[in-house]
Amino acid sequence: MDAFSSRSAENTLSVRPDRQYDPHYRYRMPPLDCAVDNRNKQRKTRLHNSSAVARNIFRPEAWLVKYMALELSTDSSCSGAGAAYLTGHHEAAQLQELVFRFVAEYVQCKCGSPETLLYVEGKKRRKVCKLRCHSCGRDGRAARSADTCTDPEV
């Protein structure tokens, strides 16, 4: 069994939606696994493998979960031990689409490469998210403001 067969193209998604059916594209991630928890009075959508998804797109899990919460206008929690959740009932397809949007805004460079470093410049209200591409050398602003990347120690 070689290294590629354990990460086969059947059980992973491409980081770029336009490269979904390319079996040789090397930037892949597992599909987001989520389930609705109805045990409590408050409904929550648990994100079972958000840490694995975040690891494969080279970003902190807290930033990915916070982005999804901001886009859905809901509350979130991410304890780091694989116990991330969003308040409310959310469909898996909708959350996977948010992951692809996060990748497009905070991971991919304009050249299409996901080999980037995301960092925050400035203080307080003048914070700006910037991407530094390791492929083309571009150093510029991310697609959006720094509201997702507010925790510098992550």
Side-chain angles (χ1 to χ4, degrees):
M1 179 181 272
D2 61 351
F4 182 72
S5 63
S6 64
R7 275 185 14 144
S8 67
E10 291 103 27
N11 61 0
T12 59
L13 297 172
S14 173
V15 170
R16 290 176 57 180
D18 59 334
R19 297 278 181 109
Q20 232 25 277
Y21 301 106
D22 185 2
H24 302 292
Y25 189 64
R26 66 180 178 171
Y27 302 108
R28 303 192 75 77
M29 66 181 170
L32 189 65
D33 182 26
C34 61
V36 177
D37 186 10
N38 291 328
R39 289 182 286 172
N40 299 341
K41 187 177 179 181
Q42 183 180 14
R43 296 178 87 183
K44 296 178 182 177
T45 302
R46 296 218 178 263
L47 307 173
H48 297 292
N49 67 340
S50 60
S51 60
V53 172
R55 190 174 341 118
N56 284 322
I57 61 173
F58 307 108
R59 295 293 180 260
E61 179 186 13
W63 290 1
L64 176 64
V65 173
K66 186 173 181 181
Y67 174 82
M68 288 193 282
L70 288 172
E71 288 293 312
L72 295 170
S73 300
T74 186
D75 191 24
S76 68
S77 173
C78 181
S79 65
Y85 72 85
L86 298 169
T87 304
H89 175 75
H90 304 287
E91 298 294 325
Q94 179 186 21
L95 295 177
Q96 188 65 52
E97 183 61 34
L98 287 175
V99 171
F100 285 136
R101 285 186 14 208
F102 178 80
V103 168
E105 293 177 13
Y106 291 105
V107 178
Q108 276 185 318
C109 178
K110 301 252 187 221
C111 69
S113 173
E115 293 181 6
T116 59
L117 171 69
L118 181 70
Y119 62 98
V120 181
E121 257 187 12
K123 294 182 180 179
K124 296 192 181 183
R125 292 184 180 247
R126 298 189 190 273
K127 283 186 181 179
V128 175
C129 277
K130 291 200 168 189
L131 283 174
R132 181 174 297 138
C133 183
H134 297 298
S135 295
C136 69
R138 179 180 178 272
D139 192 13
R141 287 185 134 189
R144 289 189 133 202
S145 65
D147 53 357
T148 301
C149 315
T150 57
D151 196 6
E153 57 265 6
V154 173

